Amino acid sequence: MMGKLSYLVCLFLVGATWAIELQPEPDYGPVAYEFQWAVNDPHTGDIKSQKETRKDDKVEGVYELIDSDGYRRIVQYKADDHNGFEAIVQREPTDIKIPLPEPPKKLLAAKILTPIVPVAPLVHYAAPKAIIKQELSPGNYVSVSGPTATYKY
C-alpha cells in the first residue's frame, strides 16, 4: 500500500514539473532603444559622452572621455548573440588641460613654550584580590569542571 502511494506521489510530481516546463515563453515583441548623454564641465575637467542603440539582440554604441593625461579615449563597441562583445579602443592627443589639484601648503610648527602636561592624571589600579574558596554545605549542587577552572553551585 505504501509503495503504491509513493509511486502515485512521484507520478504527480513528475507530471507537475513536466506541465510547468512546457509552458511557452510570452512574446514581448521586438526590443529596441536608443539613448545618448554628455557631460562637459570645464571646472573639473570632466568631459565625457555616450551613445547607444539596440535592436532585438544587437547592441552598438560609442563612448568617449578625456583621460587624466589629457588624451581622448574613444571606445566603439557592439554586442550580439553570434560574436559576443567586441570593442575598438582609440586614443588621440588633445590640447585640453586637465586642472591639477593644488599641492598641500606647508605648515610650520610653532615653538612650544611650555611643556605638555597631561590633562587628566594617570590612574593606577590595584592588583585583583585572590578569590577565597568557599566550601559548599552538603546537599544538592552542580559541579562543572573545565581545563582552567572548577565551579560548584
Side-chain angles (χ1 to χ4, degrees), residues 56-136:
D56 294 327
D57 289 333
K58 187 173 182 180
V59 178
E60 293 182 358
V62 62
Y63 68 88
E64 61 183 72
L65 58 103
I66 305 299
D67 283 328
S68 60
D69 59 0
Y71 277 74
R72 173 181 285 131
R73 183 183 345 158
I74 303 168
V75 180
Q76 296 175 337
Y77 60 92
K78 59 183 174 180
D80 57 27
D81 285 341
H82 182 68
N83 296 317
F85 180 80
E86 296 177 355
I88 300 170
V89 181
Q90 299 172 337
R91 283 179 47 101
E92 32 183 72
T94 65
D95 58 353
I96 298 173
K97 301 296 180 197
I98 304 297
L100 298 175
E102 293 182 15
K105 297 177 183 176
K106 285 188 176 181
L107 298 176
L108 299 175
K111 290 183 180 180
I112 300 175
L113 300 176
T114 58
I116 298 175
V117 179
V119 177
L122 295 176
V123 179
H124 298 283
Y125 294 98
K129 294 182 182 179
I131 299 173
I132 300 172
K133 279 191 163 184
Q134 184 178 10
E135 292 298 323
L136 297 173

Side-chain angles (χ1 to χ4, degrees), residues 21-39:
E21 290 178 4
L22 291 181
Q23 294 178 356
E25 185 175 334
D27 183 19
Y28 296 110
V31 178
Y33 65 79
E34 182 175 341
F35 74 87
Q36 64 183 11
W37 58 270
V39 174

